[in-house]
Amino acid sequence: EAGVTQFPSHSVIEKGQTVTLRCDPISGHDNLYWYRRVMGKEIKFLLHFVKESKQDESGMPNNRFLAERTGGTYSTLKVQPAELEDSGVYFCASSQYRAGELFFGEGSRLTVL
Amino acid sequence: QKEVEQNSGPLSVPEGAIASLNCTYSDRGSQSFFWYRQYSGKSPELIMFIYSNGDKEDGRFTAQLNKASQYVSLLIRDSQPSDSATYLCAVNGEGSYIPTFGRGTSLIVHP
């Protein structure tokens, strides 16, 4: 069974540019989560989808971040325009049940110069 | 704001010893507690979960929960060099199904 996959694994962009991160959850997992880890800090929650619906987006830092999950399958997280403080590792996770085990992808490392 | 605190380490133990990893949390109503292991450059993976006060054992791993003290720990017996990784404590606060993570503790098991 394929795990959670994320693309790209690493992206280097300049301040002001746009980046789109993609996450493919485990097939059949309705719950999809985005987290972010800034260097030296804890992994912080960004938002949670159930199928295509945003259930909780309380962790999204500002309106430069836009997450979508069209059709309830893969999800994208767009940062536009990127700022220096957006640098970090963006993790996607999926789960079959709420409050259940989260299966994480290997993360997308974003570097904003 | 709900917080989960861990000593970042590194915690260094010799092979064969018991490694003790600790975590405290601020939300007294928290119900679910998880330990994830993350190897460098890899994804976090769940190794233990615990919901009730007391101990829960799974192979070489034991999770201990004390809700009165708002404290959860992970013991690794007979530590192996392959256990060297960062261990993340995660807690579901009261009424929440979204885990809040600590910064993680780096464990080094030396031969």
Side-chain angles (χ1 to χ4, degrees):
Chain A
E1 177 184 285
V4 176
T5 57
Q6 293 187 245
F7 182 84
S9 57
H10 192 186
S11 180
V12 180
I13 62 173
E14 292 190 351
K15 175 182 172 179
Q17 290 186 321
T18 298
V19 64
T20 300
L21 310 177
R22 172 171 170 146
C23 169
D24 286 77
I26 293 173
S27 177
H29 282 194
D30 288 341
N31 296 276
L32 187 148
Y33 309 79
W34 283 98
Y35 281 84
R36 175 174 74 173
R37 185 167 194 156
V38 173
M39 185 177 294
K41 305 258 183 182
E42 65 275 16
I43 296 175
K44 283 208 161 182
F45 168 75
L46 296 178
L47 88 161
H48 169 224
F49 285 98
V50 176
K51 297 186 179 179
E52 67 275 7
S53 299
K54 292 177 185 174
Q55 289 294 112
D56 184 343
E57 49 184 330
S58 60
M60 294 287 264
N62 52 59
N63 59 10
R64 294 186 293 104
F65 289 74
L66 176 64
E68 296 180 322
R69 192 182 181 195
T70 306
T73 54
Y74 70 91
S75 174
T76 58
L77 179 65
K78 181 192 291 188
V79 185
Q80 178 183 31
E83 297 289 344
L84 299 179
E85 63 265 25
D86 300 333
S87 296
V89 181
Y90 290 77
F91 288 101
C92 175
S94 71
S95 69
Q96 190 170 9
Y97 307 108
R98 281 192 192 186
E101 175 182 358
L102 298 188
F103 293 84
F104 281 84
E106 293 196 348
S108 290
R109 180 176 296 277
L110 173 63
T111 302
V112 182
L113 303 176
Chain B
Q1 183 170 346
K2 300 171 187 175
E3 292 184 347
V4 177
E5 300 287 343
Q6 293 182 258
N7 188 323
S8 61
L11 172 65
S12 182
V13 301
E15 184 175 357
I18 296 175
S20 178
L21 304 160
N22 304 314
C23 172
T24 59
Y25 58 94
S26 62
D27 184 352
R28 182 169 288 278
S30 297
Q31 297 293 325
S32 308
F33 307 85
F34 307 87
W35 283 99
Y36 285 79
R37 177 178 61 200
Q38 185 178 20
Y39 292 112
S40 180
K42 298 296 184 182
S43 56
E45 58 175 334
L46 183 70
I47 53 171
M48 289 286 288
F49 63 87
I50 186 167
Y51 302 139
S52 304
N53 272 331
D55 294 0
K56 179 181 178 182
E57 188 174 317
D58 183 1
R60 295 186 297 112
F61 299 97
T62 298
Q64 298 177 318
L65 175 61
N66 184 325
K67 289 187 178 181
S69 299
Q70 295 175 235
Y71 177 96
V72 57
S73 64
L74 179 70
L75 301 179
I76 306 175
R77 289 182 299 282
D78 188 25
S79 296
Q80 301 297 310
S82 58
D83 294 326
S84 299
T86 295
Y87 289 80
L88 302 163
C89 175
V91 177
N92 284 14
E94 184 174 11
S96 173
Y97 50 85
I98 304 294
T100 298
F101 283 81
R103 293 190 183 190
T105 298
S106 174
L107 173 67
I108 299 172
V109 181
H110 53 87

